[in-house]
């Protein structure tokens, strides 16, 4: 494994190794082999981020590595008009790996063609966010001890959410029983992503129709700016809020995930239920990313 | 009769060395040059025959390029807008090779990604690259952002939106 650009870069065996490593790292984040000792990793976030940026930094530090980088392009030469290719060449000289977030689709793939050190995609536009998908399925596996045979529902903006693309793709490494795709017509998942999937999917609009069958409800934010007609948004937004009522209609052992940040798409009252696993999911950010780095740089 | 023969000769006269691209759908000769990246200042002597009668096609275009033998890769690009075209390589007035056209597996630097947020639309060094997913109907995918384009998009990009 070298570059991580897409969720497709992970095989099932690699994911299972990552699950086992993450279990180990979760027990004690600091007592690990310092596999990044003597190495410097660039954490280059051309777009600001909280969780992903900090969790990668912490993961690198825990593995004994040094971190250089930036979050937001304002303080970089990009603000002066430097192109991505030149920035990558510079990072290539200063470090042993590049963790990169960028606003444009396909930016990580382009960077990987220029770089001769590993590039890890930490989110490229609306395209993919593969390491988030590993966190998502790790959380699911932790709860159910399996991914196979579960019924999933992905809810919200399925068209522009990069975490959805990566989750749908990483699920091809397993055998989900069924994946419901719950969204307004306007925000349906991209056909080119769906065409490649090897498991059953069903597109629905009303979450109440299927919620009692679902094991994992994966919620994304519906972004107001995606709607041309504000009235349309106002009409739709209410039907895609996870209310306590909706949560209570789920199966007893079912869980709710969200890649965060959350705005108002999950009612705060749901946080107190046993189904709410999104903060636990976020807590796996550091150990999962440590495991991924370990797989890249060798145990 | 003599005038007609002279006219016919003028239209189809042989070239000594080079490439003859025949059976181009009528009106697409300029697009063929476009796909080949020929702008006119390269110095090749080029003959364009546009809207000529064809038994097989009704009307067709022909492009003759003197002293340039186009490669198989270049020939395959022509399939994007002229799948019926036949390509003959000529040496000393004789056809020495008839190139069989195949839809290219990868097209680099000719088509633009229609996604304004694709890195290829935003970085001077990122060259738009499309992989062919299906030939009939044509379906190609951007290697960077994975946007899918179809035959209509390819045609309108190469032929120009007003010249389909």
């Amino acid at each position: 494994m070298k570059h991580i650009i897409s969720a497709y870069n992970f095989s099932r065996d690699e994911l299972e190794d990552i699950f086992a490593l993450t279990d180990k790292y979760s027990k004690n984040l600091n007592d690990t082999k310092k596999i990044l000792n003597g190495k410097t990793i660039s954490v280059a976030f051309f777009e600001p981020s909280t969780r992903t940026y900090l969790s990668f930094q912490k993961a690198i530090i825990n593995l004994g590595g040094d971190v250089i980088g930036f979050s937001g392009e304002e303080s970089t030469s990009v603000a002066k008009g430097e192109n991505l290719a030149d920035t990558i060449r510079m990072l290539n000289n200063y470090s042993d790996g590049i963790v990169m977030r960028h606003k444009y689709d396909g930016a990580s793939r382009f960077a990987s063609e220029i770089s001769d050190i590993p590039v890890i995609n930490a989110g490229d536009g609306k395209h993919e966010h593969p390491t988030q998908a590993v966190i998502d399925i790790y959380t699911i596996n932790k709860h159910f001890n399996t991914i196979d045979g579960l019924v999933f529902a992905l809810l919200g903006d399925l068209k522009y959410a990069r975490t959805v693309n990566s989750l749908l793709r990483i699920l091809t490494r397993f055998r989900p029983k069924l994946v419901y795709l719950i969204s307004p017509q306007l925000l349906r998942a991209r056909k080119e992503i769906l065409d490649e999937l090897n498991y059953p999917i069903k597109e629905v609009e009303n979450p109440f129709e299927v919620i009692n069958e679902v094991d994992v409800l994966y919620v994304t934010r519906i972004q107001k700016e995606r709607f041309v007609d504000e009235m349309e948004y106002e009409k739709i937004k209410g039907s895609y809020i996870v209310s306590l009522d909706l949560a209570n209609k789920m199966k007893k052992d079912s869980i709710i995930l969200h890649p965060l940040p959350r705005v108002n798409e999950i009612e705060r009252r749901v946080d107190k239920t046993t189904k709410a696993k999104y903060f636990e999911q976020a807590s796996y950010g550091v150990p999962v990313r440590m495991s991924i780095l370990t797989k890249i740089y060798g145990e | 009769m003599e005038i007609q023969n002279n006219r016919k000769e003028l239209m189809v006269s042989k070239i000594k060395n080079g490439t003859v691209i025949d059976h181009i759908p009528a009106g697409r000769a300029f697009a063929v040059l476009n796909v080949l990246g020929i702008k006119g200042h390269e110095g090749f002597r080029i003959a364009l025959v546009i809207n000529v009668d064809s038994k097989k096609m009704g009307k067709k275009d022909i492009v003759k390029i003197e002293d340039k033998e186009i490669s198989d890769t270049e020939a395959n690009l022509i399939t994007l807008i002229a799948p019926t075209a036949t390509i003959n390589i000529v040496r000393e007035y004789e056809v020495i090779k008839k190139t069989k056209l195949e839809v290219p597996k990868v097209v680099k630097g000719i088509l633009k990604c229609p996604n304004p947020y694709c890195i290829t639309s935003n970085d001077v060094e990122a060259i738009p690259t499309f992989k062919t997913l299906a030939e009939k109907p044509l379906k190609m995918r951007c290697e960077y952002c994975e946007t899918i384009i179809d035959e209509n998009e390819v045609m309108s990009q190469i032929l120009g939106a007003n010249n389909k």
Side-chain angles (χ1 to χ4, degrees), chain A residues 83-86 89 104-107 109-110 113 126-127 169 190 192 196, chain B residues 115-119 122-126 139 141 143-148:
Chain A
N83 71 334
L84 176 61
D86 285 352
R89 287 185 186 106
Y104 292 132
D105 307 338
R109 158 97 195 234
F110 175 55
E113 289 171 356
K126 59 181 185 304
H127 180 225
R169 287 181 161 179
R190 291 163 64 182
E192 56 263 40
E196 296 170 348
Chain B
N115 170 13
Y117 298 101
C118 177
I119 187 66
N122 294 282
D123 194 289
V124 286
E125 287 189 49
K139 200 167 126 184
R141 183 174 61 196
E143 286 282 80
Y144 294 93
C145 72
E146 303 188 54
T147 294
I148 304 260

Side-chain angles (χ1 to χ4, degrees), chain A residues 223-237:
Chain A
Q223 299 162 77
K224 195 177 175 180
E225 60 273 22
R226 303 294 183 202
F227 287 78
V228 183
D229 182 351
E230 202 170 317
M231 292 288 286
E232 183 80 1
Y233 168 76
E234 292 299 326
K235 243 180 358 195
I236 278 168
K237 71 172 189 185

Side-chain angles (χ1 to χ4, degrees), chain A residues 47-176:
Chain A
E47 233 185 21
S49 150
T50 313
R51 265 159 294 275
T52 310
Y53 182 71
L54 294 175
S55 67
F56 262 114
Q57 282 201 329
K58 181 69 177 137
I60 295 161
I61 293 164
N62 284 346
L63 293 171
D66 290 322
V67 181
I68 56 170
F70 54 87
S71 180
E73 58 188 33
E74 303 80 15
S75 58
T76 70
S77 289
V78 174
K80 298 178 193 166
E82 182 173 59
N83 71 334
L84 176 61
D86 285 352
T87 313
I88 295 299
R89 287 185 186 106
M90 181 195 70
L91 297 173
N92 198 98
N93 289 334
Y94 296 166
S95 56
D96 302 286
I98 303 169
V99 177
M100 182 178 135
R101 168 165 295 189
H102 204 280
K103 63 183 168 186
Y104 292 132
D105 307 338
S108 297
R109 158 97 195 234
F110 175 55
S112 74
E113 289 171 356
I114 292 164
S115 168
D116 46 32
I117 54 174
V119 172
I120 301 173
N121 182 3
D124 61 331
K126 59 181 185 304
H127 180 225
E128 277 224 44
H129 193 355
T131 63
Q132 178 63 49
V134 181
I135 295 167
D136 300 339
I137 56 160
Y138 175 78
T139 312
I140 297 162
N141 193 62
K142 187 95 185 151
H143 186 78
F144 293 100
N145 207 24
T146 183
I147 309 287
D148 300 332
L150 297 178
V151 175
F152 293 77
L154 278 53
L155 173 91
D157 177 356
L158 308 185
K159 188 173 182 180
Y160 299 107
R162 55 192 170 204
T163 57
V164 167
N165 293 340
S166 291
L167 180 57
L168 286 169
R169 287 181 161 179
I170 215 159
L171 284 174
T172 63
R173 302 310 192 224
F174 301 90
R175 289 185 295 279

